[in-house]
Amino acid sequence: MLLAVVSAAFFLAFLGRYATAVIVPELEASFEIGPAEIGLLGAAYFWAYALMQPPSGLLSDSIGPRRAIVGFMLLSAAGTAVFALAGSFPLALAARTVAGLGAGTVYVCATRLFSRWFRADEFGAVAGLFGAVGNLGGLTAAGPLAGAIGAIGWRESFLALAALTLVAILGVWVVVRDAPPGMDIRAERMSLLAGAGEVLRHRNTWLLGVYAFVTLGILAAMQGLWTVPYLRDVYGMSKQGASNALSLWSVGLIAGLPLWGYIADRVARSRRRVLLLCTVLNALMWAVFAARPAHLPLPFTVALLLWGGFTGGCWVPAYAQLKDSLPPAIAGTALGFLNFAFFAGAAAFQQATGLLLDRSGLDHNPEEAYRVMFVAFFAVTSAAAVAVWFSRDAHPGNERA
Protein backbone atom coordinates (compact mmCIF):
# COMPACT_ATOMS: atom_id res chain seq x y z
CA MET A 1 0.00 0.00 0.00
CA LEU A 2 2.87 2.39 0.81
CA LEU A 3 4.37 1.83 -2.65
CA ALA A 4 0.99 2.39 -4.32
CA VAL A 5 0.27 5.65 -2.52
CA VAL A 6 3.65 7.30 -3.05
CA SER A 7 3.65 6.06 -6.65
CA ALA A 8 0.31 7.83 -7.20
CA ALA A 9 1.84 11.07 -5.90
CA PHE A 10 4.84 10.62 -8.20
CA PHE A 11 2.56 9.85 -11.15
CA LEU A 12 0.84 13.22 -10.71
CA ALA A 13 4.13 15.05 -10.15
CA PHE A 14 5.45 13.52 -13.38
CA LEU A 15 2.29 14.43 -15.27
CA GLY A 16 2.59 18.02 -14.11
CA ARG A 17 6.30 18.08 -14.98
CA TYR A 18 5.78 17.34 -18.68
CA ALA A 19 2.26 18.67 -19.18
CA THR A 20 3.50 21.80 -20.93
CA ALA A 21 4.83 19.72 -23.85
CA VAL A 22 1.40 19.46 -25.48
CA ILE A 23 0.24 23.04 -24.84
CA VAL A 24 3.09 24.94 -26.50
CA PRO A 25 0.78 26.53 -29.12
CA GLU A 26 -1.79 27.40 -26.44
CA LEU A 27 0.88 28.99 -24.25
CA GLU A 28 2.24 30.97 -27.21
CA ALA A 29 -1.26 32.25 -27.95
CA SER A 30 -2.34 32.85 -24.33
CA PHE A 31 0.77 34.78 -23.27
CA GLU A 32 2.06 36.00 -26.69
CA ILE A 33 5.49 34.40 -26.26
CA GLY A 34 8.07 32.61 -28.46
CA PRO A 35 10.54 29.69 -28.21
CA ALA A 36 12.90 31.39 -25.76
CA GLU A 37 10.06 32.18 -23.34
CA ILE A 38 8.63 28.67 -23.74
CA GLY A 39 12.06 27.31 -22.82
CA LEU A 40 12.18 29.59 -19.79
CA LEU A 41 8.71 28.48 -18.70
CA GLY A 42 9.74 24.84 -18.94
CA ALA A 43 13.04 25.54 -17.18
CA ALA A 44 11.41 27.39 -14.27
CA TYR A 45 9.69 24.22 -13.06
CA PHE A 46 12.89 22.20 -13.32
CA TRP A 47 15.15 24.79 -11.67
CA ALA A 48 12.81 24.94 -8.69
CA TYR A 49 12.58 21.14 -8.64
CA ALA A 50 16.37 20.87 -8.82
CA LEU A 51 17.00 23.37 -6.03
CA MET A 52 14.64 21.39 -3.81
CA GLN A 53 16.61 18.14 -4.11
CA PRO A 54 19.38 18.63 -1.49
CA PRO A 55 16.87 20.06 1.03
CA SER A 56 14.61 17.07 0.29
CA GLY A 57 17.35 14.67 1.29
CA LEU A 58 18.11 16.66 4.42
CA LEU A 59 14.40 16.87 5.29
CA SER A 60 13.90 13.14 4.77
CA ASP A 61 16.78 12.47 7.19
CA SER A 62 15.41 14.94 9.76
CA ILE A 63 11.64 15.60 9.87
CA GLY A 64 10.88 12.41 7.92
CA PRO A 65 9.73 11.61 4.37
CA ARG A 66 5.99 11.61 5.13
CA ARG A 67 5.80 15.17 6.44
CA ALA A 68 8.11 16.45 3.71
CA ILE A 69 6.02 14.94 0.91
CA VAL A 70 2.71 16.18 2.31
CA GLY A 71 3.84 19.71 3.10
CA PHE A 72 5.54 20.40 -0.19
CA MET A 73 3.01 18.66 -2.43
CA LEU A 74 0.45 21.11 -1.07
CA LEU A 75 2.63 23.84 -2.58
CA SER A 76 2.67 21.95 -5.88
CA ALA A 77 -1.11 21.73 -5.97
CA ALA A 78 -1.38 25.46 -5.27
CA GLY A 79 1.15 26.33 -7.98
CA THR A 80 -0.65 24.15 -10.53
CA ALA A 81 -3.98 25.82 -9.76
CA VAL A 82 -2.52 29.33 -10.06
CA PHE A 83 -0.85 28.39 -13.36
CA ALA A 84 -4.23 27.27 -14.70
CA LEU A 85 -5.74 30.65 -13.80
CA ALA A 86 -2.79 32.87 -14.73
CA GLY A 87 -3.59 35.83 -16.93
CA SER A 88 -0.01 36.90 -17.62
CA PHE A 89 3.31 35.27 -18.45
CA PRO A 90 5.08 36.48 -15.25
CA LEU A 91 2.34 34.97 -13.08
CA ALA A 92 2.41 31.70 -15.07
CA LEU A 93 6.20 31.61 -14.66
CA ALA A 94 5.95 32.14 -10.89
CA ALA A 95 3.23 29.49 -10.60
CA ARG A 96 5.26 26.87 -12.47
CA THR A 97 8.20 27.68 -10.22
CA VAL A 98 6.10 27.06 -7.09
CA ALA A 99 4.70 23.84 -8.58
CA GLY A 100 8.21 22.55 -9.27
CA LEU A 101 9.39 23.51 -5.80
CA GLY A 102 6.55 21.59 -4.20
CA ALA A 103 6.87 18.46 -6.35
CA GLY A 104 10.60 18.34 -5.70
CA THR A 105 10.37 16.29 -2.50
CA VAL A 106 8.57 13.24 -3.85
CA TYR A 107 11.29 11.13 -5.46
CA VAL A 108 14.00 11.55 -2.84
CA CYS A 109 11.63 11.04 0.08
CA ALA A 110 10.07 8.02 -1.59
CA THR A 111 13.44 6.36 -2.18
CA ARG A 112 14.31 7.08 1.45
CA LEU A 113 11.15 5.22 2.45
CA PHE A 114 12.07 2.31 0.18
CA SER A 115 15.53 2.05 1.76
CA ARG A 116 13.79 1.43 5.11
CA TRP A 117 10.82 -0.68 4.06
CA PHE A 118 12.56 -2.99 1.55
CA ARG A 119 15.72 -5.12 1.56
CA ALA A 120 18.87 -3.82 -0.13
CA ASP A 121 18.62 -6.42 -2.92
CA GLU A 122 15.02 -5.31 -3.58
CA PHE A 123 15.80 -1.61 -3.81
CA GLY A 124 16.61 -1.51 -7.53
CA ALA A 125 13.49 -3.38 -8.59
CA VAL A 126 11.20 -1.40 -6.26
CA ALA A 127 12.69 1.95 -7.28
CA GLY A 128 12.43 0.91 -10.93
CA LEU A 129 8.76 0.02 -10.55
CA PHE A 130 8.18 3.33 -8.78
CA GLY A 131 9.90 5.17 -11.61
CA ALA A 132 7.86 3.26 -14.19
CA VAL A 133 4.60 4.30 -12.52
CA GLY A 134 5.82 7.87 -12.45
CA ASN A 135 6.56 7.67 -16.15
CA LEU A 136 2.99 6.61 -16.75
CA GLY A 137 2.39 10.22 -15.76
CA GLY A 138 4.73 11.26 -18.55
CA LEU A 139 2.81 8.98 -20.91
CA THR A 140 -0.46 10.54 -19.78
CA ALA A 141 1.06 13.98 -20.37
CA ALA A 142 1.32 13.20 -24.08
CA GLY A 143 -1.58 11.80 -26.13
CA PRO A 144 -4.15 11.43 -23.32
CA LEU A 145 -3.57 14.94 -21.99
CA ALA A 146 -3.71 16.37 -25.50
CA GLY A 147 -7.11 14.71 -25.88
CA ALA A 148 -8.31 16.13 -22.56
CA ILE A 149 -7.12 19.60 -23.49
CA GLY A 150 -8.93 19.35 -26.80
CA ALA A 151 -12.11 18.38 -24.96
CA ILE A 152 -12.15 20.77 -21.98
CA GLY A 153 -9.28 23.23 -22.48
CA TRP A 154 -5.76 23.52 -21.07
CA ARG A 155 -6.71 25.63 -18.05
CA GLU A 156 -9.46 23.26 -16.95
CA SER A 157 -7.10 20.29 -17.36
CA PHE A 158 -4.53 21.87 -15.04
CA LEU A 159 -7.21 22.65 -12.45
CA ALA A 160 -8.20 18.96 -12.53
CA LEU A 161 -4.54 18.02 -12.00
CA ALA A 162 -4.39 20.28 -8.93
CA ALA A 163 -7.50 18.60 -7.47
CA LEU A 164 -6.11 15.10 -8.05
CA THR A 165 -2.87 16.14 -6.35
CA LEU A 166 -4.84 17.03 -3.21
CA VAL A 167 -6.36 13.55 -3.21
CA ALA A 168 -2.91 11.96 -3.47
CA ILE A 169 -1.63 14.12 -0.60
CA LEU A 170 -4.43 12.87 1.62
CA GLY A 171 -3.52 9.29 0.73
CA VAL A 172 0.13 9.82 1.69
CA TRP A 173 -0.84 11.35 5.04
CA VAL A 174 -3.19 8.50 5.92
CA VAL A 175 -1.17 5.51 4.71
CA VAL A 176 2.55 6.30 4.83
CA ARG A 177 4.78 5.90 7.89
CA ASP A 178 8.45 6.79 7.95
CA ALA A 179 9.70 3.35 8.99
CA PRO A 180 8.43 -0.16 9.73
CA PRO A 181 7.27 -0.86 13.31
CA GLY A 182 10.22 -1.53 15.57
CA MET A 183 12.87 0.13 13.41
CA ASP A 184 14.88 2.63 15.47
CA ILE A 185 15.61 5.35 12.92
CA ARG A 186 17.22 7.51 15.60
CA ALA A 187 20.29 5.29 15.26
CA GLU A 188 20.70 6.49 11.68
CA ARG A 189 20.85 10.18 12.51
CA MET A 190 23.96 12.16 11.69
CA SER A 191 24.74 15.86 11.76
CA LEU A 192 23.18 17.34 8.61
CA LEU A 193 26.29 19.41 7.94
CA ALA A 194 28.60 16.43 8.42
CA GLY A 195 26.40 14.27 6.21
CA ALA A 196 26.34 16.82 3.42
CA GLY A 197 30.11 17.22 3.64
CA GLU A 198 30.70 13.49 3.36
CA VAL A 199 28.41 13.23 0.33
CA LEU A 200 30.17 16.12 -1.43
CA ARG A 201 33.61 14.63 -0.80
CA HIS A 202 32.69 11.34 -2.41
CA ARG A 203 33.96 10.65 -5.94
CA ASN A 204 30.77 8.98 -7.16
CA THR A 205 28.68 12.02 -6.23
CA TRP A 206 30.37 14.12 -8.90
CA LEU A 207 30.85 11.50 -11.60
CA LEU A 208 27.31 10.19 -11.36
CA GLY A 209 26.19 13.80 -11.10
CA VAL A 210 27.57 14.44 -14.60
CA TYR A 211 25.60 11.45 -15.91
CA ALA A 212 22.48 12.68 -14.12
CA PHE A 213 22.79 16.27 -15.39
CA VAL A 214 23.10 15.17 -19.02
CA THR A 215 20.63 12.28 -19.06
CA LEU A 216 17.58 13.97 -17.60
CA GLY A 217 18.57 17.25 -19.21
CA ILE A 218 18.19 15.80 -22.70
CA LEU A 219 15.13 13.77 -21.77
CA ALA A 220 13.39 16.78 -20.25
CA ALA A 221 14.17 18.94 -23.27
CA MET A 222 12.79 16.38 -25.72
CA GLN A 223 9.94 14.92 -23.68
CA GLY A 224 8.99 18.19 -22.05
CA LEU A 225 9.30 20.62 -24.96
CA TRP A 226 10.69 19.77 -28.39
CA THR A 227 9.49 16.36 -29.61
CA VAL A 228 6.08 17.63 -30.71
CA PRO A 229 7.46 20.77 -32.43
CA TYR A 230 10.23 18.69 -34.07
CA LEU A 231 7.82 16.16 -35.55
CA ARG A 232 5.49 18.97 -36.62
CA ASP A 233 8.16 21.22 -38.16
CA VAL A 234 10.30 18.57 -39.87
CA TYR A 235 7.90 15.71 -40.64
CA GLY A 236 4.65 17.67 -40.94
CA MET A 237 2.80 15.62 -38.33
CA SER A 238 -0.40 16.90 -36.75
CA LYS A 239 -0.36 17.98 -33.11
CA GLN A 240 -2.33 14.89 -32.03
CA GLY A 241 -0.14 12.55 -34.10
CA ALA A 242 3.04 14.09 -32.72
CA SER A 243 1.62 13.93 -29.18
CA ASN A 244 0.90 10.24 -29.65
CA ALA A 245 4.49 9.72 -30.85
CA LEU A 246 5.71 11.66 -27.82
CA SER A 247 4.11 8.94 -25.69
CA LEU A 248 6.83 6.56 -26.83
CA TRP A 249 9.41 8.34 -24.69
CA SER A 250 7.35 7.30 -21.67
CA VAL A 251 6.71 3.79 -23.00
CA GLY A 252 10.46 3.29 -23.29
CA LEU A 253 11.03 4.65 -19.81
CA ILE A 254 8.30 2.48 -18.33
CA ALA A 255 9.92 -0.60 -19.87
CA GLY A 256 13.48 0.40 -19.10
CA LEU A 257 13.34 1.64 -15.53
CA PRO A 258 12.36 -1.62 -13.78
CA LEU A 259 14.28 -3.77 -16.29
CA TRP A 260 17.61 -1.96 -15.89
CA GLY A 261 17.19 -1.91 -12.12
CA TYR A 262 16.56 -5.66 -12.08
CA ILE A 263 19.47 -6.40 -14.44
CA ALA A 264 21.87 -4.30 -12.37
CA ASP A 265 20.80 -5.96 -9.09
CA ARG A 266 20.22 -9.56 -10.09
CA VAL A 267 21.91 -10.29 -13.46
CA ALA A 268 24.97 -8.13 -14.08
CA ARG A 269 25.44 -7.40 -10.36
CA SER A 270 27.13 -4.20 -11.42
CA ARG A 271 25.37 -0.84 -11.49
CA ARG A 272 28.31 0.83 -13.27
CA ARG A 273 28.43 -1.58 -16.23
CA VAL A 274 24.69 -1.36 -16.85
CA LEU A 275 24.78 2.43 -16.61
CA LEU A 276 27.67 2.59 -19.06
CA LEU A 277 25.95 0.31 -21.57
CA CYS A 278 22.79 2.40 -21.55
CA THR A 279 24.67 5.67 -21.93
CA VAL A 280 26.64 4.43 -24.93
CA LEU A 281 23.48 3.09 -26.60
CA ASN A 282 21.76 6.42 -25.99
CA ALA A 283 24.68 8.35 -27.49
CA LEU A 284 24.49 6.23 -30.65
CA MET A 285 20.85 7.24 -31.07
CA TRP A 286 21.77 10.94 -30.99
CA ALA A 287 24.50 10.27 -33.57
CA VAL A 288 21.79 8.95 -35.91
CA PHE A 289 19.54 11.97 -35.31
CA ALA A 290 22.47 14.35 -35.83
CA ALA A 291 23.40 12.71 -39.13
CA ARG A 292 19.84 12.53 -40.49
CA PRO A 293 17.51 14.93 -38.62
CA ALA A 294 14.92 15.06 -41.40
CA HIS A 295 15.43 12.27 -43.91
CA LEU A 296 14.84 9.10 -41.92
CA PRO A 297 11.73 7.01 -42.54
CA LEU A 298 9.07 8.32 -40.18
CA PRO A 299 8.42 4.90 -38.53
CA PHE A 300 12.15 4.58 -37.82
CA THR A 301 12.24 8.09 -36.35
CA VAL A 302 9.32 7.26 -34.08
CA ALA A 303 10.99 3.98 -33.07
CA LEU A 304 14.09 5.96 -32.08
CA LEU A 305 11.94 7.89 -29.60
CA LEU A 306 11.05 4.59 -27.96
CA TRP A 307 14.75 3.65 -27.93
CA GLY A 308 15.61 7.02 -26.39
CA GLY A 309 13.26 6.44 -23.49
CA PHE A 310 14.41 2.85 -23.04
CA THR A 311 18.15 3.62 -22.95
CA GLY A 312 17.73 6.99 -21.24
CA GLY A 313 15.66 5.48 -18.43
CA CYS A 314 18.59 3.79 -16.72
CA TRP A 315 18.98 6.06 -13.74
CA VAL A 316 17.81 3.62 -11.05
CA PRO A 317 21.24 1.90 -11.02
CA ALA A 318 22.83 5.34 -10.56
CA TYR A 319 20.78 5.98 -7.41
CA ALA A 320 21.60 2.51 -6.10
CA GLN A 321 25.30 2.89 -6.92
CA LEU A 322 25.58 6.16 -4.99
CA LYS A 323 23.37 5.00 -2.11
CA ASP A 324 25.47 1.89 -1.55
CA SER A 325 28.69 3.91 -1.67
CA LEU A 326 27.80 5.82 1.51
CA PRO A 327 26.58 5.09 5.06
CA PRO A 328 22.81 4.49 5.50
CA ALA A 329 22.56 7.53 7.80
CA ILE A 330 23.10 9.88 4.87
CA ALA A 331 21.32 7.92 2.16
CA GLY A 332 18.60 10.56 1.83
CA THR A 333 21.15 13.36 1.62
CA ALA A 334 23.12 11.50 -1.07
CA LEU A 335 20.00 10.84 -3.13
CA GLY A 336 19.02 14.48 -2.74
CA PHE A 337 22.30 15.70 -4.19
CA LEU A 338 22.10 13.26 -7.10
CA ASN A 339 18.53 14.28 -7.80
CA PHE A 340 19.67 17.90 -7.78
CA ALA A 341 22.07 17.05 -10.60
CA PHE A 342 19.27 15.35 -12.54
CA PHE A 343 16.91 18.27 -12.32
CA ALA A 344 19.50 21.01 -12.65
CA GLY A 345 20.24 19.34 -15.98
CA ALA A 346 16.54 19.27 -16.85
CA ALA A 347 16.22 22.98 -16.15
CA ALA A 348 19.46 23.96 -17.88
CA PHE A 349 18.74 21.91 -21.01
CA GLN A 350 15.19 23.22 -21.40
CA GLN A 351 16.40 26.79 -21.21
CA ALA A 352 19.55 26.22 -23.28
CA THR A 353 17.78 24.31 -26.06
CA GLY A 354 15.19 27.07 -26.38
CA LEU A 355 17.97 29.62 -26.87
CA LEU A 356 19.96 27.29 -29.15
CA LEU A 357 17.03 26.61 -31.46
CA ASP A 358 16.08 30.27 -31.53
CA ARG A 359 19.61 31.31 -32.53
CA SER A 360 20.01 28.43 -35.00
CA GLY A 361 17.15 29.69 -37.13
CA LEU A 362 14.27 27.45 -36.06
CA ASP A 363 11.74 29.72 -37.76
CA HIS A 364 13.31 29.64 -41.25
CA ASN A 365 15.44 26.44 -41.24
CA PRO A 366 14.11 23.93 -38.71
CA GLU A 367 16.08 20.98 -40.11
CA GLU A 368 19.42 22.66 -39.51
CA ALA A 369 18.36 24.04 -36.12
CA TYR A 370 17.41 20.59 -34.87
CA ARG A 371 20.62 19.12 -36.31
CA VAL A 372 22.65 21.55 -34.19
CA MET A 373 20.70 20.47 -31.10
CA PHE A 374 21.18 16.75 -31.84
CA VAL A 375 24.93 17.18 -32.36
CA ALA A 376 25.10 18.86 -28.94
CA PHE A 377 23.14 15.97 -27.42
CA PHE A 378 25.58 13.42 -28.87
CA ALA A 379 28.59 15.32 -27.53
CA VAL A 380 27.33 15.68 -23.97
CA THR A 381 26.00 12.09 -23.81
CA SER A 382 29.47 10.88 -24.82
CA ALA A 383 30.93 12.97 -21.98
CA ALA A 384 28.45 11.36 -19.59
CA ALA A 385 29.64 7.91 -20.68
CA VAL A 386 33.21 8.89 -19.82
CA ALA A 387 32.10 10.04 -16.37
CA VAL A 388 30.35 6.72 -15.71
CA TRP A 389 33.47 4.85 -16.87
CA PHE A 390 35.51 6.54 -14.11
CA SER A 391 32.93 5.97 -11.36
CA ARG A 392 33.27 3.13 -8.86
CA ASP A 393 30.85 0.30 -8.47
CA ALA A 394 29.26 -0.29 -5.08
CA HIS A 395 27.32 -3.16 -3.58
CA PRO A 396 24.77 -3.40 -0.77
CA GLY A 397 26.53 -3.63 2.57
CA ASN A 398 29.82 -2.27 1.15
CA GLU A 399 29.63 1.41 1.97
CA ARG A 400 33.19 2.23 0.92
CA ALA A 401 33.32 0.49 -2.45
Side-chain angles (χ1 to χ4, degrees):
M1 181 61 78
L2 175 144
L3 178 59
V5 169
V6 295
S7 294
F10 192 45
F11 171 92
L12 294 170
F14 223 103
L15 197 162
R17 181 190 306 171
Y18 291 118
T20 53
V22 296
I23 59 169
V24 170
E26 287 83 356
L27 293 175
E28 290 174 334
S30 295
F31 303 120
E32 299 181 351
I33 54 178
E37 291 82 7
I38 290 292
L40 178 60
L41 189 64
Y45 184 100
F46 284 96
W47 276 123
Y49 198 109
L51 291 172
M52 197 59 217
Q53 298 316 296
S56 295
L58 297 171
L59 287 167
S60 72
D61 289 338
S62 54
I63 69 170
R66 174 172 171 260
R67 289 187 179 89
I69 291 173
V70 168
F72 280 88
M73 281 297 284
L74 285 170
L75 275 181
S76 184
T80 301
V82 172
F83 177 71
L85 300 171
S88 67
F89 177 69
L91 182 57
L93 189 65
R96 284 292 286 172
T97 302
V98 171
L101 188 74
T105 59
V106 179
Y107 191 90
V108 171
C109 290
T111 51
R112 189 65 174 122
L113 288 168
F114 301 154
S115 71
R116 290 173 175 167
W117 283 88
F118 298 94
R119 298 192 312 269
D121 62 355
E122 296 174 329
F123 181 87
V126 170
L129 179 60
F130 174 70
V133 173
N135 276 279
L136 284 172
L139 181 63
T140 306
L145 182 61
I149 289 167
I152 65 174
W154 77 267
R155 295 183 184 274
E156 292 78 4
S157 297
F158 274 80
L159 284 173
L161 175 59
L164 289 171
T165 301
L166 291 175
V167 174
I169 291 166
L170 179 62
V172 171
W173 182 257
V174 171
V175 172
V176 173
R177 295 296 178 267
D178 286 337
M183 176 180 285
D184 184 10
I185 58 177
R186 292 174 300 177
E188 293 185 355
R189 288 178 183 165
M190 177 185 286
S191 161
L192 297 184
L193 188 60
E198 184 160 359
V199 169
L200 289 174
R201 287 191 299 270
H202 197 270
R203 169 180 180 167
N204 275 3
T205 301
W206 299 98
L207 292 172
L208 296 176
V210 171
Y211 163 83
F213 186 88
V214 169
T215 301
L216 193 60
I218 292 175
L219 189 67
M222 289 301 294
Q223 190 179 14
L225 286 181
W226 302 120
T227 296
V228 171
Y230 167 62
L231 294 174
R232 179 196 63 200
D233 296 343
V234 174
Y235 287 96
M237 292 183 69
S238 68
K239 178 185 174 182
Q240 186 64 56
S243 297
N244 292 337
L246 172 65
S247 303
L248 292 176
W249 282 110
S250 294
V251 172
L253 285 164
I254 290 165
L257 282 166
L259 178 64
W260 295 124
Y262 177 83
I263 290 174
D265 282 353
R266 302 294 181 90
V267 180
R269 297 192 178 276
S270 168
R271 280 72 182 263
R272 174 182 166 274
R273 287 199 294 268
V274 170
L275 209 58
L276 183 61
L277 172 65
C278 289
T279 309
V280 170
L281 292 174
N282 197 254
L284 291 175
M285 180 198 71
W286 293 120
V288 174
F289 269 124
R292 300 286 296 274
H295 302 291
L296 293 168
L298 184 57
F300 183 66
T301 299
V302 172
L304 284 177
L305 301 181
L306 179 67
W307 184 253
F310 184 68
T311 57
C314 192
W315 53 72
V316 168
Y319 285 106
Q321 185 178 346
L322 183 59
K323 176 184 73 72
D324 291 333
S325 300
L326 292 159
I330 53 174
T333 302
L335 295 174
F337 276 104
L338 185 60
N339 229 30
F340 169 77
F342 273 111
F343 287 96
F349 272 74
Q350 289 212 341
Q351 193 167 358
T353 52
L355 293 171
L356 181 64
L357 290 170
D358 203 23
R359 294 177 181 178
S360 299
L362 180 61
D363 290 337
H364 63 271
N365 191 353
E367 178 181 343
E368 186 58 31
Y370 286 115
R371 183 195 303 277
V372 170
M373 184 174 72
F374 295 149
V375 168
F377 286 172
F378 171 72
V380 295
T381 304
S382 299
V386 173
V388 173
W389 174 268
F390 285 106
S391 70
R392 293 176 179 172
D393 229 332
H395 304 280
N398 183 13
E399 295 165 1
R400 305 296 178 186

